[in-house]
Amino acid sequence: MTALITIYSTLITILAYFIGRKIYAKHPSPFTTPVFFSTVTIILVLLISGLDFKDYSPGKDIITYFLGPATVALAVPLYKNRKIIVKYAMPAISGMIFGLLVTLIIAFAIAKAFSLPPFIFQGLAVKSITVPIAVEITELYGGNSNISAAFVILTGVLGTMIAPKMMDKLNITMPFARGIAYGTIAHGLGTAQAAQESEFTGAVAGAAMAIAGILISCFFPFISKFL
């Protein structure tokens, strides 16, 4: 029975994302982005079928297992386009540092303005980096890892919904720039969205996601002292 539930969980995850991509290709919209569509679809299927999240987890873990090789594979297009990356490395890193600092300052300002408890501030501060790093930083400073994970996932979903249309309206068409934006503001979910635009965009987003995690890890101890 457990094996059947695992197969079922894996299939609904794959089908939800596949259908989401098809719908987004025909009807592009913030609400039809594959990440948002598949997330909502999976939640609805679990509710309708009465399947508990603990039962769904093994199927989810199978797919998550392949994230490692997929992430490593992003190094191939990065290597192929290494000259472009070297050329724009300094502007990209400068932009990322500025953007992440603004994220931390806004989180700090919101926390102070509304007298939010420290664990809420910590969740807001790490919302633009990938979940594993965000959770480690939060736990290191005695915060609530569940709150941080929730903010990170919400930021990723909103980023994949809003960023494509926003960059189109601002006429940001360069794959390198779009990849930096996706990876910096929407981490793993943004990288998945970027990979749909092009292999190179996805690879740049993956690199930006990793660099953003390192930078936030460096900045966080200093700004947290002001809380």
Side-chain angles (χ1 to χ4, degrees), residues 119 122 137-144:
F119 71 89
Q122 291 171 339
I137 293 175
T138 303
E139 292 181 347
L140 186 63
Y141 288 88
N144 189 313

Side-chain angles (χ1 to χ4, degrees), residues 70-80 203:
T71 303
V72 173
L74 291 174
V76 176
L78 281 175
Y79 179 77
K80 290 179 180 177

Side-chain angles (χ1 to χ4, degrees), residues 76-89 200:
V76 176
L78 281 175
Y79 179 77
K80 290 179 180 177
N81 297 275
R82 59 191 181 279
K83 291 183 179 179
I84 298 175
I85 294 170
V86 171
K87 180 180 179 181
Y88 295 105
F200 178 61

Side-chain angles (χ1 to χ4, degrees), residues 176-211:
F176 184 85
R178 292 177 72 94
I180 291 292
Y182 278 124
T184 303
I185 64 170
H187 37 80
L189 296 179
T191 300
Q193 181 69 23
Q196 292 186 60
E197 296 189 4
S198 74
E199 183 184 52
F200 178 61
T201 306
V204 172
M209 173 181 67
I211 295 171

